[in-house]
Amino acid sequence: MTDKLNKKFIDCVRSIYSKEEIIALHRPIFDKIDKINILKTIDSNFVSTAGPFVEKFEKKISNYTNSSYAVSTINATSAIHIALKVLGIGSEDEVIAQSFSFVAAANAITYTGAKPIFIDICKDDLGLNPSSLESFLEKNTYLDNGKLINKFSRKKISCCIATHIYGHPCKILKIKEICERYKIPLIEDAAESLGSFVAKKHTGTFGKIGVLSFNGNKIITTGGGGMLITDSERIYRKAKHIASTAKIPHKYEYIHDTTGYNYRLPSLNAALGYSQMEKLNKIIKFKRKLSKIYNDFANENDIKFIKEPFGTRSNYWLNTFVFKSLKERNSFLENTNKNGIMTRPAWRLMHNLKMYKDMARDDMKNSKILEKRVVNIPSSVPNNWYFKDK
Ligand SMILES: Cc1ncc(COP(=O)(O)O)c(C=O)c1O
């Protein structure tokens, strides 16, 4: 049964990507305009952070996401780090995050000296589980003069990072309401969800700060890059300052007023981001068409497919199957990869990595099951779809 299914899937993917030899999990779409913009930047000599495309790209992102401000960074990990620094997170703090996620948030928390607390996810959207969050906070914390204190470690829980996994919006409204009640600022890791909305509001704009990624495997790319988005002018100014080595503007002097970070995105990368943004809506249109094919395949073959939650619009960055058993998942991974079709399991849970194994966490009921059952399947927009009308 599983062999038959694996073969059927391989045939399905080969027919979608009929003109492509290598079937990647997610490769970028580049066109002439991308090349022109990069050449323009090279010709201008302003290839680094002072170049003109940095501001233009930031403006494009803030317009698209409808956030008041955007600060570009060298990647999303550095944007999360800056977000935490701006919120004043340090070694006396604890920060809530998902164990089922990419390692970026846990690492960025650790860079600040704070400790992560890992909370479970929801089965349907793979995002932070609001019920798990609420029950953890109820059992383990108390409010003292507006500060949320962990009863057991006696440390302050100073922030919560919720992630929109594989592009699907998590239950951000409920999470936001809980964070407000418990007086902790919310950061949204929207690294994977550029182009995903909850009731027409862009992911990453619900919390105090949102973070996007433009890594080569994301829906659009700058080669490597990230963005911090916010509606707060104070956060924006501080973020931009510390991401720019905390240099005080001066005609010729080098004066830095705190330990800053050299995290700003070079103009060469921003130039690519600018032209990539022009393609975003077309890319999303095709990604949604692709997800429909996979959804139908899943329905016909009794596999669970992760769909956009009701009331949201997902960019379907990575299409995802959830198998009934570890055995079925492993057989699928083995067969597809052996046949040149890139499929990938979920990340190892953060609390099982050796550097995070002693961190506080809840029961991880859903995370443990999903870690062993989730598979991401090829999700690039097929070249023969995108470039058909050229
Ligand atoms: C959920 C999530 N957060 C953060 C990141 C980090 O992004 P970057 O590679 O731009 O640092 C990624 C990248 O894969 C991610 O998937």
Short mmCIF file of all heavy atoms in Angstrom, two decimals, residues 337-377:
data_model
loop_
_atom_site.label_atom_id
_atom_site.label_comp_id
_atom_site.label_asym_id
_atom_site.label_seq_id
_atom_site.Cartn_x
_atom_site.Cartn_y
_atom_site.Cartn_z
N ASN A 337 13.05 10.79 -1.73
CA ASN A 337 14.43 11.31 -1.84
C ASN A 337 15.28 10.42 -2.75
O ASN A 337 16.10 10.92 -3.51
CB ASN A 337 15.05 11.50 -0.46
CG ASN A 337 14.51 12.76 0.21
OD1 ASN A 337 14.82 13.87 -0.20
ND2 ASN A 337 13.65 12.60 1.21
N LYS A 338 15.06 9.12 -2.65
CA LYS A 338 15.81 8.19 -3.50
C LYS A 338 15.49 8.44 -4.98
O LYS A 338 16.33 8.23 -5.85
CB LYS A 338 15.40 6.75 -3.11
CG LYS A 338 16.39 5.69 -3.55
CD LYS A 338 16.11 4.35 -2.90
CE LYS A 338 14.81 3.77 -3.42
NZ LYS A 338 14.31 2.62 -2.66
N ASN A 339 14.29 8.91 -5.24
CA ASN A 339 13.87 9.15 -6.62
C ASN A 339 14.04 10.61 -7.04
O ASN A 339 13.38 11.07 -7.98
CB ASN A 339 12.41 8.71 -6.78
CG ASN A 339 12.32 7.21 -6.91
OD1 ASN A 339 12.63 6.65 -7.96
ND2 ASN A 339 11.95 6.55 -5.83
N GLY A 340 14.89 11.33 -6.36
CA GLY A 340 15.23 12.70 -6.77
C GLY A 340 14.18 13.73 -6.44
O GLY A 340 14.18 14.83 -7.01
N ILE A 341 13.28 13.40 -5.56
CA ILE A 341 12.25 14.37 -5.16
C ILE A 341 12.52 14.76 -3.72
O ILE A 341 12.46 13.91 -2.81
CB ILE A 341 10.85 13.79 -5.35
CG1 ILE A 341 10.60 13.69 -6.86
CG2 ILE A 341 9.78 14.63 -4.68
CD1 ILE A 341 9.37 12.99 -7.23
N MET A 342 12.82 16.03 -3.52
CA MET A 342 13.23 16.46 -2.18
C MET A 342 12.00 16.60 -1.27
O MET A 342 11.09 17.38 -1.56
CB MET A 342 13.96 17.79 -2.27
CG MET A 342 14.80 18.07 -1.05
SD MET A 342 15.44 19.74 -1.02
CE MET A 342 16.95 19.53 -1.91
N THR A 343 11.98 15.79 -0.24
CA THR A 343 10.97 15.94 0.81
C THR A 343 11.72 15.98 2.12
O THR A 343 12.84 15.46 2.21
CB THR A 343 9.96 14.76 0.82
OG1 THR A 343 10.71 13.55 0.99
CG2 THR A 343 9.16 14.69 -0.47
N ARG A 344 11.14 16.60 3.13
CA ARG A 344 11.86 16.77 4.40
C ARG A 344 10.95 16.55 5.59
O ARG A 344 9.78 16.93 5.55
CB ARG A 344 12.43 18.19 4.50
CG ARG A 344 13.61 18.46 3.54
CD ARG A 344 14.85 17.69 3.97
NE ARG A 344 15.98 17.90 3.09
CZ ARG A 344 16.33 17.10 2.09
NH1 ARG A 344 15.62 16.04 1.79
NH2 ARG A 344 17.41 17.36 1.37
N PRO A 345 11.50 15.95 6.67
CA PRO A 345 10.70 15.82 7.88
C PRO A 345 10.63 17.16 8.60
O PRO A 345 11.32 18.11 8.22
CB PRO A 345 11.51 14.82 8.71
CG PRO A 345 12.93 15.04 8.28
CD PRO A 345 12.87 15.44 6.83
N ALA A 346 9.85 17.21 9.66
CA ALA A 346 9.82 18.41 10.51
C ALA A 346 11.17 18.55 11.20
O ALA A 346 11.95 17.59 11.26
CB ALA A 346 8.73 18.26 11.55
N TRP A 347 11.43 19.74 11.74
CA TRP A 347 12.65 19.95 12.52
C TRP A 347 12.60 19.05 13.76
O TRP A 347 11.53 18.71 14.25
CB TRP A 347 12.73 21.39 13.04
CG TRP A 347 12.53 22.44 12.01
CD1 TRP A 347 13.46 22.91 11.13
CD2 TRP A 347 11.33 23.20 11.74
NE1 TRP A 347 12.92 23.90 10.33
CE2 TRP A 347 11.62 24.10 10.69
CE3 TRP A 347 10.04 23.22 12.27
CZ2 TRP A 347 10.68 24.99 10.17
CZ3 TRP A 347 9.11 24.10 11.76
CH2 TRP A 347 9.43 24.96 10.73
N ARG A 348 13.78 18.68 14.26
CA ARG A 348 13.82 18.04 15.58
C ARG A 348 13.30 19.06 16.60
O ARG A 348 13.65 20.25 16.51
CB ARG A 348 15.25 17.66 15.95
CG ARG A 348 15.82 16.52 15.11
CD ARG A 348 15.18 15.20 15.53
NE ARG A 348 15.40 14.18 14.51
CZ ARG A 348 16.40 13.28 14.58
NH1 ARG A 348 17.21 13.28 15.60
NH2 ARG A 348 16.54 12.40 13.63
N LEU A 349 12.55 18.59 17.57
CA LEU A 349 12.00 19.53 18.57
C LEU A 349 13.14 20.20 19.32
O LEU A 349 14.14 19.55 19.65
CB LEU A 349 11.09 18.79 19.53
CG LEU A 349 9.84 18.16 18.91
CD1 LEU A 349 9.02 17.44 19.97
CD2 LEU A 349 8.99 19.20 18.19
N MET A 350 12.96 21.48 19.58
CA MET A 350 14.03 22.25 20.23
C MET A 350 14.45 21.66 21.57
O MET A 350 15.62 21.63 21.92
CB MET A 350 13.59 23.71 20.46
CG MET A 350 13.44 24.53 19.21
SD MET A 350 14.95 24.57 18.24
CE MET A 350 14.55 23.48 16.90
N HIS A 351 13.45 21.17 22.34
CA HIS A 351 13.79 20.70 23.68
C HIS A 351 14.53 19.36 23.65
O HIS A 351 14.97 18.88 24.68
CB HIS A 351 12.55 20.63 24.59
CG HIS A 351 11.63 19.50 24.26
ND1 HIS A 351 10.56 19.63 23.40
CD2 HIS A 351 11.62 18.23 24.67
CE1 HIS A 351 9.95 18.48 23.30
NE2 HIS A 351 10.56 17.60 24.07
N ASN A 352 14.66 18.77 22.46
CA ASN A 352 15.46 17.55 22.35
C ASN A 352 16.88 17.83 21.85
O ASN A 352 17.70 16.92 21.78
CB ASN A 352 14.79 16.55 21.40
CG ASN A 352 13.56 15.94 22.04
OD1 ASN A 352 13.47 15.87 23.27
ND2 ASN A 352 12.60 15.52 21.24
N LEU A 353 17.16 19.07 21.47
CA LEU A 353 18.52 19.42 21.07
C LEU A 353 19.36 19.57 22.35
O LEU A 353 18.85 20.07 23.36
CB LEU A 353 18.54 20.73 20.27
CG LEU A 353 17.71 20.73 18.98
CD1 LEU A 353 17.83 22.07 18.27
CD2 LEU A 353 18.12 19.59 18.04
N LYS A 354 20.62 19.19 22.25
CA LYS A 354 21.37 19.08 23.51
C LYS A 354 21.50 20.41 24.25
O LYS A 354 21.47 20.43 25.47
CB LYS A 354 22.73 18.40 23.29
CG LYS A 354 23.70 19.17 22.46
CD LYS A 354 25.03 18.46 22.41
CE LYS A 354 25.96 19.33 21.61
NZ LYS A 354 26.94 18.67 20.86
N MET A 355 21.56 21.52 23.50
CA MET A 355 21.74 22.79 24.22
C MET A 355 20.44 23.30 24.86
O MET A 355 20.47 24.20 25.68
CB MET A 355 22.36 23.86 23.30
CG MET A 355 21.57 24.26 22.11
SD MET A 355 21.63 22.98 20.83
CE MET A 355 21.05 23.89 19.43
N TYR A 356 19.28 22.73 24.46
CA TYR A 356 18.01 23.20 25.01
C TYR A 356 17.28 22.13 25.82
O TYR A 356 16.13 22.30 26.18
CB TYR A 356 17.12 23.73 23.88
CG TYR A 356 17.74 24.91 23.17
CD1 TYR A 356 17.90 24.94 21.79
CD2 TYR A 356 18.20 26.00 23.90
CE1 TYR A 356 18.51 26.02 21.15
CE2 TYR A 356 18.81 27.08 23.28
CZ TYR A 356 18.96 27.09 21.91
OH TYR A 356 19.56 28.16 21.29
N LYS A 357 17.96 21.03 26.10
CA LYS A 357 17.26 19.91 26.74
C LYS A 357 16.85 20.20 28.19
O LYS A 357 15.93 19.58 28.70
CB LYS A 357 18.06 18.62 26.62
CG LYS A 357 19.30 18.55 27.48
CD LYS A 357 19.95 17.18 27.33
CE LYS A 357 21.28 17.05 28.00
NZ LYS A 357 21.60 17.84 29.16
N ASP A 358 17.52 21.15 28.84
CA ASP A 358 17.18 21.43 30.23
C ASP A 358 16.21 22.60 30.38
O ASP A 358 15.94 23.04 31.50
CB ASP A 358 18.46 21.72 31.04
CG ASP A 358 19.37 20.50 31.06
OD1 ASP A 358 18.83 19.37 31.04
OD2 ASP A 358 20.60 20.67 31.03
N MET A 359 15.72 23.11 29.29
CA MET A 359 14.83 24.27 29.38
C MET A 359 13.43 23.85 29.82
O MET A 359 13.00 22.73 29.55
CB MET A 359 14.72 24.97 28.01
CG MET A 359 16.05 25.43 27.46
SD MET A 359 16.85 26.65 28.52
CE MET A 359 18.51 26.06 28.54
N ALA A 360 12.73 24.77 30.47
CA ALA A 360 11.37 24.47 30.93
C ALA A 360 10.47 24.25 29.72
O ALA A 360 10.69 24.83 28.65
CB ALA A 360 10.85 25.65 31.74
N ARG A 361 9.47 23.39 29.89
CA ARG A 361 8.55 23.12 28.79
C ARG A 361 7.25 22.51 29.34
O ARG A 361 7.22 22.04 30.48
CB ARG A 361 9.18 22.17 27.79
CG ARG A 361 9.57 20.83 28.39
CD ARG A 361 10.05 19.89 27.29
NE ARG A 361 10.33 18.58 27.80
CZ ARG A 361 11.51 18.17 28.24
NH1 ARG A 361 12.53 19.01 28.28
NH2 ARG A 361 11.68 16.93 28.66
N ASP A 362 6.23 22.49 28.49
CA ASP A 362 5.00 21.80 28.90
C ASP A 362 5.03 20.36 28.35
O ASP A 362 6.10 19.87 27.96
CB ASP A 362 3.75 22.60 28.49
CG ASP A 362 3.56 22.66 26.98
OD1 ASP A 362 4.37 22.08 26.25
OD2 ASP A 362 2.59 23.30 26.54
N ASP A 363 3.87 19.70 28.30
CA ASP A 363 3.89 18.26 27.96
C ASP A 363 4.23 17.97 26.49
O ASP A 363 4.59 16.85 26.13
CB ASP A 363 2.57 17.60 28.35
CG ASP A 363 1.39 18.13 27.55
OD1 ASP A 363 1.61 18.93 26.62
OD2 ASP A 363 0.25 17.77 27.86
N MET A 364 4.10 18.96 25.62
CA MET A 364 4.47 18.82 24.21
C MET A 364 3.68 17.72 23.50
O MET A 364 4.20 17.07 22.58
CB MET A 364 5.98 18.47 24.06
CG MET A 364 6.89 19.54 24.49
SD MET A 364 6.86 20.86 23.26
CE MET A 364 7.27 22.22 24.35
N LYS A 365 2.45 17.55 23.93
CA LYS A 365 1.65 16.44 23.42
C LYS A 365 1.59 16.41 21.88
O LYS A 365 1.93 15.40 21.25
CB LYS A 365 0.24 16.57 24.00
CG LYS A 365 -0.55 15.31 23.98
CD LYS A 365 -1.79 15.45 24.86
CE LYS A 365 -2.94 14.83 24.16
NZ LYS A 365 -4.06 15.72 23.90
N ASN A 366 1.18 17.51 21.29
CA ASN A 366 1.04 17.53 19.82
C ASN A 366 2.40 17.59 19.13
O ASN A 366 2.59 16.95 18.09
CB ASN A 366 0.20 18.74 19.39
CG ASN A 366 -1.22 18.64 19.90
OD1 ASN A 366 -1.72 17.54 20.14
ND2 ASN A 366 -1.86 19.78 20.09
N SER A 367 3.32 18.35 19.70
CA SER A 367 4.64 18.50 19.06
C SER A 367 5.31 17.15 18.89
O SER A 367 5.89 16.86 17.84
CB SER A 367 5.54 19.41 19.91
OG SER A 367 4.93 20.65 20.12
N LYS A 368 5.22 16.32 19.94
CA LYS A 368 5.89 15.00 19.90
C LYS A 368 5.31 14.12 18.79
O LYS A 368 6.04 13.41 18.12
CB LYS A 368 5.70 14.29 21.25
CG LYS A 368 6.63 14.79 22.32
CD LYS A 368 6.39 13.95 23.57
CE LYS A 368 7.01 14.56 24.79
NZ LYS A 368 6.44 14.01 26.03
N ILE A 369 4.00 14.17 18.64
CA ILE A 369 3.37 13.34 17.59
C ILE A 369 3.74 13.89 16.21
O ILE A 369 4.17 13.16 15.33
CB ILE A 369 1.82 13.32 17.76
CG1 ILE A 369 1.44 12.70 19.10
CG2 ILE A 369 1.15 12.61 16.59
CD1 ILE A 369 -0.01 12.86 19.48
N LEU A 370 3.59 15.20 16.07
CA LEU A 370 3.78 15.80 14.74
C LEU A 370 5.23 15.73 14.28
O LEU A 370 5.50 15.60 13.08
CB LEU A 370 3.26 17.24 14.74
CG LEU A 370 1.73 17.27 14.78
CD1 LEU A 370 1.20 18.59 15.30
CD2 LEU A 370 1.14 16.97 13.41
N GLU A 371 6.15 15.82 15.21
CA GLU A 371 7.57 15.72 14.84
C GLU A 371 7.83 14.46 14.03
O GLU A 371 8.65 14.44 13.12
CB GLU A 371 8.43 15.72 16.11
CG GLU A 371 9.92 15.65 15.84
CD GLU A 371 10.72 15.22 17.05
OE1 GLU A 371 10.18 14.49 17.91
OE2 GLU A 371 11.90 15.61 17.15
N LYS A 372 7.10 13.41 14.35
CA LYS A 372 7.34 12.10 13.72
C LYS A 372 6.45 11.83 12.51
O LYS A 372 6.56 10.80 11.87
CB LYS A 372 7.13 11.00 14.76
CG LYS A 372 8.15 11.06 15.88
CD LYS A 372 8.04 9.84 16.75
CE LYS A 372 9.24 9.64 17.64
NZ LYS A 372 9.73 10.82 18.34
N ARG A 373 5.54 12.74 12.23
CA ARG A 373 4.56 12.45 11.16
C ARG A 373 4.56 13.46 10.01
O ARG A 373 4.01 13.18 8.94
CB ARG A 373 3.15 12.43 11.76
CG ARG A 373 3.05 11.55 12.99
CD ARG A 373 2.09 10.42 12.79
NE ARG A 373 2.11 9.55 13.95
CZ ARG A 373 1.04 9.24 14.67
NH1 ARG A 373 -0.12 9.76 14.35
NH2 ARG A 373 1.14 8.42 15.69
N VAL A 374 5.12 14.63 10.26
CA VAL A 374 5.03 15.71 9.26
C VAL A 374 6.10 15.55 8.18
O VAL A 374 7.24 15.21 8.48
CB VAL A 374 5.21 17.07 9.99
CG1 VAL A 374 5.70 18.15 9.05
CG2 VAL A 374 3.91 17.49 10.66
N VAL A 375 5.69 15.80 6.94
CA VAL A 375 6.66 15.85 5.84
C VAL A 375 6.33 17.05 4.95
O VAL A 375 5.17 17.26 4.58
CB VAL A 375 6.62 14.56 4.97
CG1 VAL A 375 7.55 14.70 3.78
CG2 VAL A 375 7.02 13.35 5.77
N ASN A 376 7.35 17.81 4.62
CA ASN A 376 7.18 18.89 3.65
C ASN A 376 7.49 18.35 2.27
O ASN A 376 8.46 17.61 2.09
CB ASN A 376 8.14 20.05 3.95
CG ASN A 376 7.86 20.70 5.29
OD1 ASN A 376 8.75 20.87 6.10
ND2 ASN A 376 6.62 21.06 5.52
N ILE A 377 6.66 18.76 1.32
CA ILE A 377 6.78 18.24 -0.05
C ILE A 377 7.15 19.38 -1.01
O ILE A 377 7.00 20.55 -0.63
CB ILE A 377 5.46 17.52 -0.46
CG1 ILE A 377 4.27 18.47 -0.28
CG2 ILE A 377 5.27 16.26 0.37
CD1 ILE A 377 2.93 17.85 -0.61
#
